[in-house]
Amino acid sequence: MRIAVAGGTGMVGRYVVDELVAAGHEPVVLARSRGVDLVSGAGLDAAMTGVEAVVDVSNLQTTSAKKSISFFESTGRNLLAAGARVGVRHHVLLSIVGLERVGLGYYQGKLRQEEVVAKEGATPWTVLRATQFLEFPQQVLDRMPGPLAMVPRMRTQPVAAREVAQHLVRLVLGQPQGMAPELAGPRVEELVDMVRKLLRAGGRRRLLVPVTLPGAVGRAMKSGGNLPTGPGSRGTQTFDEWLTQNVRHIAQDAQDARGGHDGRPGEGG
């Protein structure tokens, strides 16, 4: 089956592509680097030729509700319209656990994206809400270069990005479900503790400052607004296991950040 992967060059997208290939399917990566602009729709129709299903893991890094809503509304509508023109039979969207309970600006865009898929398109759909990834603490640090790391107090039940991709592939190959049961990791963690372990594993000396974000958003994050509230699939890899598996890579990244780069190209996040 020919399956489009919107955002197929990103963290989860790359895993989705790998899983589709391993299962004998033909992934079509929709990304700017492949000549497709999901926001404007440029190049989308040509890339979607022969596509029977879509997995949307497209992403934007922003804290602005306005930018997030604009991006996810545009990409959602463009993907659905292009899919309808070629007869796509199943549209699968990756979303986030706790969108309504934690009103981050970024989350408002993801919530709008869910609404577009569920209410504005004619294509049968499945939305999978997943918790933060095991890779999330590294992303938090990457966004704050320098000696100070201000980390939000947040309870999360992180899941491996690869396990999310595996779940998405199972969903897209099955029947549309509407809102699928939420996906989370095997146990609840505190983000501050995860970042602290990550710094130690890389031998990095940074001042870690736990902070509670202001208002209702901060209270929701701190009290578990990002945790699943009902039954659903659970990943198997814990953060400690992921850390052990990636410790060499983490240590090398830390060395590079201190100026010890040996000239080799980075492997990415």
Side-chain angles (χ1 to χ4, degrees):
M1 187 189 302
R2 189 171 167 87
I3 300 174
V5 184
T9 58
M11 179 189 298
V12 177
R14 292 195 299 269
Y15 288 135
V16 171
V17 169
D18 290 345
E19 293 294 329
L20 287 172
V21 170
H25 298 281
E26 181 186 357
V28 178
V29 175
L30 306 179
R32 284 187 179 179
S33 61
R34 306 297 176 89
V36 178
D37 189 325
L38 295 173
V39 176
S40 70
L44 188 54
D45 280 342
M48 289 285 284
T49 302
V51 165
E52 298 180 55
V54 172
V55 178
D56 185 1
V57 290
S58 57
N59 194 27
L60 173 74
Q61 288 192 11
T62 183
T63 58
S64 164
K66 183 177 179 180
K67 290 181 180 178
S68 182
I69 292 170
S70 176
F71 174 84
F72 287 117
E73 188 174 65
S74 297
T75 58
R77 286 175 172 168
N78 286 338
L79 280 169
L80 287 169
R85 288 191 288 269
V86 298
V88 163
R89 296 180 293 179
H90 193 183
H91 186 105
V92 176
L93 170 66
L94 176 63
S95 193
I96 307 168
V97 169
L99 291 181
E100 301 95 338
R101 300 187 298 272
V102 183
L104 290 169
Y106 174 79
Y107 283 14
Q108 293 178 42
K110 290 296 292 182
L111 192 59
R112 179 66 187 126
Q113 185 185 34
E114 289 186 2
E115 293 172 348
V116 168
V117 169
K119 299 178 181 179
E120 296 189 15
T123 304
W125 55 275
T126 301
V127 171
L128 173 67
R129 287 186 173 186
T131 53
Q132 285 67 37
F133 308 140
L134 296 176
E135 294 84 353
F136 182 55
Q138 183 62 62
Q139 294 175 321
V140 171
L141 287 177
D142 289 344
R143 293 167 190 164
M144 292 183 293
L148 186 65
M150 300 182 67
V151 180
R153 289 188 172 90
M154 174 182 181
R155 297 184 74 211
T156 180
Q157 195 168 332
V159 62
R162 182 180 291 278
E163 291 185 301
V164 174
Q166 292 168 346
H167 201 75
L168 287 167
V169 169
R170 287 194 292 269
L171 288 172
V172 77
L173 297 179
Q175 295 299 313
Q177 298 184 26
M179 294 300 297
E182 294 176 335
L183 175 64
R187 71 186 190 194
V188 176
E189 305 272 4
E190 296 286 346
L191 178 59
V192 170
D193 293 339
M194 296 168 70
V195 172
R196 185 176 288 113
K197 290 179 180 180
L198 187 64
L199 289 170
R200 288 173 179 168
R204 286 177 283 185
R205 294 184 178 181
R206 295 183 64 181
L207 180 60
L208 192 158
V209 181
V211 296
T212 300
L213 296 184
V217 169
R219 291 193 297 272
M221 292 175 66
K222 186 178 179 181
S223 63
N226 287 107
L227 300 179
T229 57
S233 298
R234 298 293 178 259
T236 60
Q237 189 176 34
T238 67
F239 180 69
D240 288 344
E241 290 168 344
W242 178 88
L243 200 58
T244 299
Q245 185 181 62
N246 290 275
V247 65
R248 289 185 179 181
H249 178 72
I250 293 167
Q252 182 62 54
D253 284 350
Q255 181 181 351
D256 294 345
R258 292 193 296 267
H261 199 286
D262 59 7
R264 294 175 296 178
E267 295 177 276

